[in-house]
């Protein structure tokens, strides 16, 4: 007040202080407030310091309509909505929780323990902290409440309880006096050492530098979240004035730093003085104007938003040596940022942890003084290679071994810490299984087992109650079925590569392509003419001969050539695919499963076998198998029931998980095979309680031993070489090539043939339309169509093919005349052939007329003969 009015001498108003001591008592605080309001008629109240007092005082001031401003009451219960005359010149406790959750996420801690004061200040934060951690996929695993009046013995007793828990991350939310005692006792019991992580909320972190050296020494390595005070001009100048005045008034004492609460108190008085200057004396006006004040004070920007100070920036500090060392900042808009430009940790500068360690704590450990892990194992007397439980009757000692046990022990040995555990069989008094695998997993949820190790399948239903590690076996459910005789002995095996629809499709397109080419070649190509039977044979033989590229007919039409090229490409693809498929059938496919589809089993109503103790039975019922068709079959009976088959009192298939089937097929792959998978599962995994930190580390080591080959060695030890019959046991029924597989090719060749045919008829009609239009125009439609057919059936003498033959004739005739009379007979035969090709007076169904030939030994052909030929 002295400094404010010294710099604001022109103000016409002055604040008058009436101080009261609540003696840290809620009732006393309320009484003093009533006295101030009724007797002193104050227009505003600054304080109180604690949240528990503020709750009562805010309600009183709201009733009297007197503004109350607290610079240290941070409880989230206090709200300006319910008590509009209450203003918080500080931050809500919930504002820092997102910053704390960001720190735990940054260091990849999944759990933390909250140690708080058993007051409204300590309890009110709990639900908000839980929500903040859930946003980062972490959890508050335990809450420890300590009363303010607790003795050192009671504090240590609570700390000992926390020591035997796995979590090693502690969040401290306490008032300064109790928090200081907590750290002193934590150091005495050995909890301020390597492996522990401590985080203080701003209630302690804001004043950490003001603690006694002994208290600060007990906090070494702890982290804290405090409000960041920017080093502004106002702050620096105020610091100089503060030191001078403090040294003047307390010359014999050490200099104390101003806490953030003192800075807020300083700015609160300034804001109240400025608001009073603007009012006419009304309390309501004081409340209005103080909320409108916005200025840069010694604490930074001072501005009320919804009844409390605007959220700015938090600083993350690391308690080292004499106080807090800034290692980063947290802002609402961009989260954690490093305090320095160079940071090894990305979002935070390097941290010195308890025990002067630079290694980031894992966040959890198996407590040395804690109990052993009670690990439940299944009692499975069927597939004993996975878990074997044996009891020595002489010593009454139970031993546990097997593939799953060896794998678990190998994983635990690779962990960077020691885990003590004990295997406990899940058995009854008779030594048999005490329940199903679901019952075994449920024991972890009931906290009777700390973990389950064995051939336990990861399912969605079980994952509701426990957390599983990554699977360590192959996943899925498959069919185990007998194999049938090899198809090599089938006389019709050559038909198998193509399905029926593809065979029929190929024949259809063979004939269609031959028909299209015949239509376009018939008028211009003698190879495609002749009697109807000959033309039909030519049509089919030509298309079929393209299968082996042995067609002898030469096509002349350009459209025919285009169609033929595309068709030959299709034939090449078809023959290549057929050859590859037939080769695969003859060389690879040795054994065929008797059953290839679970739907066929359902349709035929066949009996199937499974293990009643597993989830397979429920799965079969979900697939709508009749309960009477489901038979409980152990592995010792697999050979017998599968050999008998459904018709002889056995089963058509065994349905089980792939790991079990592979173990069985390792010894019986010649008689049986595996088909599937028909249902996907996640495989076998180790089960732990929900949120157990062991899950992540063990999953990581499962991957490591799988990549390193150790897992395969354990597998060979118990089951031998499971891949020895991999070709047979994993045989999948070869599928025929279907019409759908080549539908694209057929569409291309069909479209090309159809387009060519349409273009041919369009050209034919445009060229001959005048003749066709006048041809038998007075007759019926049917008669006209027959006339058109006869016209089409004639040779096209104007085509290039026949014009070329005519020219060749004359050239050959001139040459033969010079050859002498010795070759006259041969040339006559040529002339007859050429003349016959020019004749179109008779239809192709009639035999061609014999044409005589006269030839003289003259170099010039007979003109009369030439005229006869043309006439023909």
């Amino acid at each position: 007040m002295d400094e404010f009015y010294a710099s604001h001498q022109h103000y016409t108003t002055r604040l008058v202080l009436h101080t009261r001591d609540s003696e840290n008592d809620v009732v006393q605080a309320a009484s003093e407030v009533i006295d101030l309001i009724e007797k002193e008629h104050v227009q505003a109240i600054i304080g109180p310091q604690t949240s528990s007092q503020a709750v009562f005082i805010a309600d009183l001031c709201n009733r009297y309509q007197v503004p109350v401003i607290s610079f240290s009451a941070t409880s989230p219960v206090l709200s300006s909505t319910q008590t509009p005359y209450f203003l918080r010149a500080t931050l809500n406790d919930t504002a820092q929780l997102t910053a704390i959750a960001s720190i735990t996420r940054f260091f990849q801690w999944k759990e933390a323990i909250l140690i708080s004061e058993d007051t409204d200040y300590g309890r009110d934060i709990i639900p908000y902290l839980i929500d903040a951690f859930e946003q980062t996929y972490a959890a508050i695993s335990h809450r420890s409440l300590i009363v303010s009046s607790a003795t050192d013995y009671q504090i240590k007793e609570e700390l000992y309880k926390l020591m035997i828990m796995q979590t090693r991350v502690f969040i401290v939310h306490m008032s300064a006096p109790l928090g200081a005692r907590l750290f002193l006792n934590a150091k005495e019991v050995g909890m301020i050492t390597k492996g522990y992580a401590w985080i203080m909320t701003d209630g302690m972190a804001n004043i950490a530098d003001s603690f006694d050296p002994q208290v600060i020494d007990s906090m070494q390595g702890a982290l804290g979240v405090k409000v960041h005070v920017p080093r502004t001009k106002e702050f620096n100048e105020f610091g100089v004035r503060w030191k001078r005045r403090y040294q003047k008034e307390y010359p014999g004492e050490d200099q104390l730093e101003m806490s953030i609460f003192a800075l807020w108190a300083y700015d609160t008085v300034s804001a109240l003085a400025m608001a009073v200057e603007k009012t006419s004396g009304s309390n309501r006006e004081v409340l209005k104007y103080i909320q409108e004040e916005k200025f840069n004070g010694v604490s930074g920007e001072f501005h009320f938003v919804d009844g409390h100070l605007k959220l700015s920036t938090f600083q993350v500090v690391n308690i080292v040596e004499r106080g807090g060392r800034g290692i980063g900042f947290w802002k609402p808009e961009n989260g954690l940022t490093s305090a320095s430009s160079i940071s090894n940790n990305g979002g935070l500068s390097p941290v010195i942890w308890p025990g002067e360690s630079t290694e980031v704590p894992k966040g959890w450990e198996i407590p040395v003084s804690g109990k052993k892990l009670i690990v439940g194992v299944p009692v499975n007397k069927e597939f004993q290679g996975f878990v074997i439980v044996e009891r020595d009757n002489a010593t009454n000692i139970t031993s546990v071994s097997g593939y799953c046990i060896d794998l678990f022990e190998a994983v635990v040995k690779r962990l960077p810490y020691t885990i003590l555990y004990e295997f406990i069989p899940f058995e009854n008094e008779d030594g048999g299984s005490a329940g199903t695998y679901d019952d075994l997993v449920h024991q972890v949820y009931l906290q009777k087992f700390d973990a389950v190790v064995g051939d336990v399948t990861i399912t969605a239903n079980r994952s509701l109650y426990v957390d599983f590690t990554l699977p360590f076996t192959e996943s899925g459910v498959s069919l185990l079925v007998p194999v049938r005789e090899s198809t090599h002995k089938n006389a019709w095996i050559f038909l198998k590569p193509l399905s029926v629809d593809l065979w029929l499709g190929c024949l259809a397109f063979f004939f269609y392509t031959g028909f299209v080419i015949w239509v376009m070649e018939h008028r211009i190509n003698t190879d495609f003419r002749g009697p109807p039977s000959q033309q039909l044979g030519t049509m089919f033989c030509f298309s079929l001969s393209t299968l082996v590229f042995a067609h002898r007919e030469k096509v002349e039409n350009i459209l025919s050539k285009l169609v033929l090229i595309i068709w030959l490409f299709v034939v090449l693809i078809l023959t290549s695919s057929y050859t590859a498929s037939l080769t695969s059938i003859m060389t690879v496919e040795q054994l065929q499963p008797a059953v290839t589809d679970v739907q066929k089993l359902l349709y035929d109503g066949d009996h199937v076998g499974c293990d009643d103790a597993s989830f397979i039975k429920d799965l079969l019922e979900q697939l709508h198998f009749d309960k009477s068709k489901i038979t409980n079959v152990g592995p010792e009976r697999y050979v017998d029931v599968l050999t008998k088959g459904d018709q002889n009192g056995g089963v058509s298939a065994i349905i089980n998980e792939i790991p079990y089937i592979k173990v069985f097929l390792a010894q019986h792959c010649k008689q049986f095979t595996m088909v599937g998978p028909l249902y996907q599962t996640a495989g076998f995994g180790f089960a732990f309680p929900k949120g157990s930190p062991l899950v992540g580390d063990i999953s990581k080591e499962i991957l490591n031993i799988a990549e390193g080959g150790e897992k395969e060695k354990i597998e060979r030890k118990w089951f031998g070489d499971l891949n020895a019959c991999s070709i047979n046991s994993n045989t999948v029924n070869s599928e025929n090539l279907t019409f759908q597989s080549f539908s694209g090719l057929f569409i291309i060749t069909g479209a090309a043939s159809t387009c060519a045919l349409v273009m041919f008829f369009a050209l034919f009609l445009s060229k001959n339309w005048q003749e066709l239009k006048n041809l038998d125009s007075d007759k019926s439609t049917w008669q006209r169509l027959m006339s058109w057919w006869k016209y089409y059936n004639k040779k096209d003498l104007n085509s290039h093919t026949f014009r070329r033959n005519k020219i060749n004739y004359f050239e050959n005739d001139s040459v033969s005349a010079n050859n002498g009379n010795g070759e006259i007979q041969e040339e006559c035969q040529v002339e007859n052939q050429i003349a016959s090709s020019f004749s179109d007076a008779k239809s192709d169904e009639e035999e061609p007329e014999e044409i005589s030939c006269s030839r003289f030994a003259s170099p010039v052909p007979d003109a009369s003969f030439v005229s006869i030929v043309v006439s023909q």
Side-chain angles (χ1 to χ4, degrees):
M1 285 180 59
D2 293 343
E3 290 197 354
F4 180 82
Y5 286 118
S7 60
H8 296 80
Q9 297 181 3
H10 62 283
Y11 271 34
T12 59
T13 58
R14 292 291 185 274
L15 293 179
V16 178
L17 294 180
H18 299 272
T19 60
R20 294 290 189 274
D21 184 4
S22 67
E23 299 177 357
N24 200 27
D25 183 78
V26 175
V27 177
Q28 181 68 21
S31 175
E32 295 294 347
V33 168
I34 294 175
D35 182 73
L36 288 170
I37 294 175
E38 293 183 349
K39 293 183 179 182
E40 303 295 343
H41 303 289
V42 296
Q43 292 179 280
I45 293 177
I46 297 177
Q49 284 185 268
T50 65
S51 297
S52 56
Q53 296 176 20
V55 172
F56 287 92
I57 293 176
D59 186 60
L60 285 173
C61 291
N62 195 61
R63 187 177 301 174
Y64 284 101
Q65 296 186 346
V66 176
V68 56
I69 311 165
S70 176
F71 52 82
S72 57
T74 58
S75 173
V77 173
L78 294 166
S79 171
S80 61
T81 303
Q82 298 177 352
T83 53
Y85 278 84
F86 173 77
L87 297 177
R88 194 198 314 264
T90 180
L91 297 179
N92 191 322
D93 275 336
T94 60
Q96 62 183 319
L97 300 184
T98 305
I100 294 175
S102 298
I103 294 174
T104 60
R105 179 175 59 183
F106 176 77
F107 291 112
Q108 299 181 3
W109 296 327
K110 298 299 182 183
E111 292 183 351
I113 292 177
L114 172 64
I115 306 177
S116 61
E117 185 176 313
D118 194 8
T119 61
D120 291 341
Y121 169 74
R123 290 189 297 266
D124 293 344
I125 199 177
I126 293 176
Y128 301 96
L129 182 62
I130 293 174
D131 291 343
F133 267 60
E134 288 180 351
Q135 295 297 320
T136 60
Y137 302 99
I140 299 296
S141 61
H142 181 76
R143 299 185 295 272
S144 176
L145 297 176
I146 300 177
V147 296
S148 302
S149 59
T151 64
D152 288 346
Y153 175 80
Q154 291 173 325
I155 294 175
K156 289 179 181 178
E157 188 177 24
E158 185 66 23
L159 290 174
Y160 282 128
K161 293 179 182 178
L162 300 180
M163 285 182 69
I164 64 175
M165 297 181 181
Q166 293 183 348
T167 306
R168 289 292 181 264
V169 180
F170 302 100
I171 298 173
V172 180
H173 181 62
M174 291 180 168
S175 60
L178 184 59
R181 293 173 56 210
L182 174 73
F183 275 100
L184 288 171
N185 285 280
K187 184 177 181 180
E188 286 187 25
V189 301
M191 295 180 70
I192 311 297
T193 57
K194 182 178 179 180
Y196 287 87
W198 295 83
I199 304 176
M200 298 180 292
T201 59
D202 63 353
M204 291 186 64
N206 284 332
I207 58 175
D209 294 339
S210 64
F211 283 119
D212 292 337
Q214 185 181 4
V215 176
I216 295 178
D217 183 64
S218 68
M219 295 178 174
Q220 294 296 299
L223 300 180
V225 174
K226 60 184 292 186
V227 177
H228 174 59
V229 180
R231 296 304 190 256
T232 60
K233 176 182 178 182
E234 292 81 3
F235 175 83
N236 293 329
E237 292 177 351
F238 170 75
V240 173
R241 297 194 306 271
W242 162 255
K243 290 180 180 180
R244 289 175 181 174
R245 183 164 182 171
Y246 191 89
Q247 290 174 356
K248 180 179 179 181
E249 297 184 6
Y250 306 97
E253 297 185 9
D254 294 334
Q255 179 69 47
L256 293 179
E257 295 292 336
M258 292 284 284
S259 70
I260 183 62
F261 298 108
L263 299 178
W264 281 330
Y266 187 95
D267 287 339
T268 298
V269 173
S270 300
L272 182 59
M274 288 186 285
V276 169
E277 180 68 15
K278 299 177 183 178
T279 66
S280 59
S282 168
N283 293 351
R284 186 180 297 275
E285 289 182 336
V286 172
L287 177 66
K288 173 186 176 184
Y289 286 120
I290 196 172
Q291 292 186 83
E292 293 176 354
E293 293 297 335
K294 184 176 181 181
F295 60 93
N296 290 324
V298 295
S299 63
E301 182 182 358
F302 194 91
H303 175 51
F304 285 102
V305 177
D306 296 331
H308 57 79
L309 283 188
K310 179 183 177 182
L311 176 61
S312 55
T313 303
F314 285 104
Q315 184 180 22
V316 183
V317 296
N318 182 204
I319 307 300
V320 180
E321 296 180 353
R322 296 184 179 181
R325 175 178 64 92
I327 59 172
F329 299 95
W330 181 89
K331 294 182 179 181
E333 59 272 14
N334 52 16
L336 288 175
T337 56
S338 174
S340 60
S341 57
I342 300 177
S343 172
N344 295 330
N345 289 335
L348 293 174
S349 298
V351 178
I352 305 298
W353 299 99
E356 298 184 355
S357 172
T358 57
E359 181 181 349
V360 178
K362 298 191 307 293
W364 72 277
E365 283 185 4
I366 298 298
V368 176
S369 58
K371 64 177 183 178
K372 292 182 180 180
L373 288 180
I374 304 301
V375 181
V377 295
V379 179
N380 187 346
K381 296 184 178 181
E382 295 181 347
F383 287 96
Q384 293 191 356
F386 291 95
V387 177
I388 302 174
V389 178
E390 296 177 325
R391 183 182 299 276
D392 190 337
N393 295 327
T395 60
N396 201 29
I397 296 177
T398 301
S399 63
V400 180
S401 60
Y403 169 72
C404 297
I405 304 301
D406 284 1
L407 189 68
F408 178 76
E409 292 178 341
V411 167
V412 170
K413 288 179 181 178
R414 297 176 65 97
L415 294 175
Y417 45 84
T418 302
I419 294 180
L420 302 178
Y421 55 89
E422 180 182 2
F423 293 117
I424 302 297
F426 185 56
E427 59 183 358
N428 53 29
E429 297 178 355
D430 300 330
S433 178
T436 65
Y437 277 72
D438 286 339
D439 297 331
L440 172 59
V441 172
H442 201 62
Q443 302 306 304
V444 178
Y445 177 75
L446 298 176
Q447 299 183 357
K448 294 183 179 180
F449 288 147
D450 297 316
V452 168
V453 171
D455 49 339
V456 180
T457 303
I458 303 172
T459 65
N461 183 55
R462 294 171 182 172
S463 297
L464 297 175
Y465 306 98
V466 298
D467 281 347
F468 283 98
T469 63
L470 288 177
F472 54 85
T473 63
E474 191 174 352
S475 61
V477 176
S478 292
L479 295 172
L480 177 64
V481 297
V483 295
R484 61 189 179 190
E485 201 171 73
S486 173
T487 57
H488 293 177
K489 298 180 181 180
N490 189 342
W492 300 97
I493 190 175
F494 68 91
L495 295 175
K496 186 177 181 181
L498 307 185
S499 62
V500 175
D501 60 343
L502 184 54
W503 278 116
L504 296 176
C506 290
L507 289 175
F509 273 89
F510 269 114
F511 296 149
Y512 179 65
T513 304
F515 169 75
V516 170
I517 292 177
W518 175 85
V519 169
M520 294 186 292
E521 294 291 321
H522 178 65
R523 287 175 53 82
I524 64 173
N525 195 332
T526 56
D527 289 339
F528 290 85
R529 300 189 63 82
S533 58
Q534 180 181 342
Q535 295 184 52
L536 187 62
T538 300
M539 184 191 308
F540 293 155
C541 291
F542 175 82
S543 59
L544 293 175
S545 62
T546 59
L547 186 63
V548 290
F549 306 98
H551 51 287
R552 63 179 182 82
E553 294 83 3
K554 182 180 179 182
V555 294
E556 300 289 351
N557 192 302
I558 186 63
L559 295 176
S560 301
K561 293 179 180 179
L562 178 63
V563 170
L564 184 60
I565 290 173
I566 296 176
W567 174 244
L568 289 177
F569 173 75
V570 173
V571 168
L572 176 63
I573 300 298
L574 285 173
T575 54
S576 300
S577 302
Y578 174 85
T579 304
S581 180
L582 183 60
T583 302
S584 175
I585 293 173
M586 297 294 292
T587 59
V588 177
E589 189 175 342
Q590 300 296 325
L591 298 175
Q592 288 293 325
V595 179
T596 59
D597 188 6
V598 70
Q599 296 299 326
K600 187 176 186 303
L601 294 173
L602 275 170
Y603 180 80
D604 295 340
D606 289 355
H607 287 80
V608 295
C610 72
D611 182 4
D612 281 350
S614 70
F615 71 97
I616 302 295
K617 183 177 180 181
D618 294 334
L619 172 63
L620 293 177
E621 292 178 1
Q622 293 175 10
L623 293 174
H624 307 295
F625 273 92
D626 193 300
K627 291 184 179 181
S628 62
K629 302 294 184 179
I630 303 175
T631 305
N632 182 28
V633 180
E636 71 280 354
R637 297 179 55 214
Y638 280 7
V639 175
D640 180 53
V641 296
L642 287 173
T643 302
K644 288 182 178 179
D646 182 73
Q647 302 298 325
N648 300 311
V651 297
S652 295
I654 299 290
I655 300 179
N656 211 334
E657 295 176 79
I658 290 178
Y660 296 134
I661 294 179
K662 292 185 70 174
V663 171
F664 176 81
L665 288 176
Q667 299 178 350
H668 303 90
C669 62
K670 300 300 182 182
Q671 300 170 267
F672 308 97
T673 189
M674 180 171 62
V675 176
L678 62 92
Y679 180 78
Q680 288 292 341
T681 62
F684 295 163
F686 303 133
F688 290 89
K690 277 285 187 181
S692 172
L694 279 171
V695 173
D697 288 351
I698 290 184
S699 296
K700 186 187 300 181
E701 297 305 329
I702 288 175
L703 293 177
N704 288 335
I705 66 171
E707 294 174 356
E710 188 174 355
K711 177 174 175 287
E712 185 178 355
K713 293 179 182 178
I714 299 174
E715 187 177 277
R716 287 178 178 272
K717 171 185 173 182
W718 289 101
F719 306 121
D721 188 3
L722 295 181
N723 297 320
C725 296
S726 59
I727 295 179
N728 292 337
S729 61
N730 291 300
T731 296
V732 178
N733 189 28
S734 299
E735 295 184 359
N736 298 337
L737 299 175
T738 64
F739 184 84
Q740 184 66 27
S741 304
F742 300 93
S743 58
L745 288 174
F746 288 125
I747 290 174
I748 293 174
T749 185
S753 299
T754 303
C755 291
L757 188 62
V758 171
M759 292 177 62
F760 171 79
F761 278 122
L763 293 173
F764 173 75
L765 291 175
S766 63
K767 181 179 179 181
N768 303 283
W769 180 244
Q770 294 299 327
E771 291 84 349
L772 293 173
K773 182 174 64 174
N774 299 323
L775 190 63
D776 295 336
S777 58
D778 57 340
K779 295 184 179 180
S780 65
T781 302
W782 175 252
Q783 290 175 330
R784 291 195 67 188
L785 289 175
M786 293 302 298
S787 300
W788 286 6
W789 162 249
K790 292 179 180 179
Y791 184 88
Y792 165 78
N793 198 32
K794 294 179 181 180
K795 295 178 180 178
D796 185 2
L797 297 179
N798 294 323
S799 67
H800 67 283
T801 55
F802 292 124
R803 289 200 305 269
R804 183 178 65 241
N805 289 341
K806 179 178 179 180
I807 294 171
N808 290 340
Y809 163 75
F810 289 118
E811 292 177 351
N812 292 336
D813 190 62
S814 299
V815 174
S816 64
N818 292 325
N819 286 338
N821 295 330
E823 299 180 356
I824 292 177
Q825 185 63 31
E826 181 179 354
E827 294 302 323
C828 286
Q829 295 176 359
V830 173
E831 293 169 7
N832 284 331
Q833 181 180 0
I834 299 301
S836 175
S837 65
F838 287 152
S839 176
D840 60 353
K842 297 183 179 181
S843 66
D844 287 300
E845 291 80 356
E846 301 176 3
E847 291 295 330
E849 181 179 333
E850 186 69 25
I851 301 176
S852 61
C853 172
S854 300
R855 183 66 65 207
F856 300 94
S858 172
V860 181
D862 193 315
S864 63
F865 174 76
V866 174
S867 65
I868 294 175
V869 172
V870 175
S871 176
Q872 281 288 96

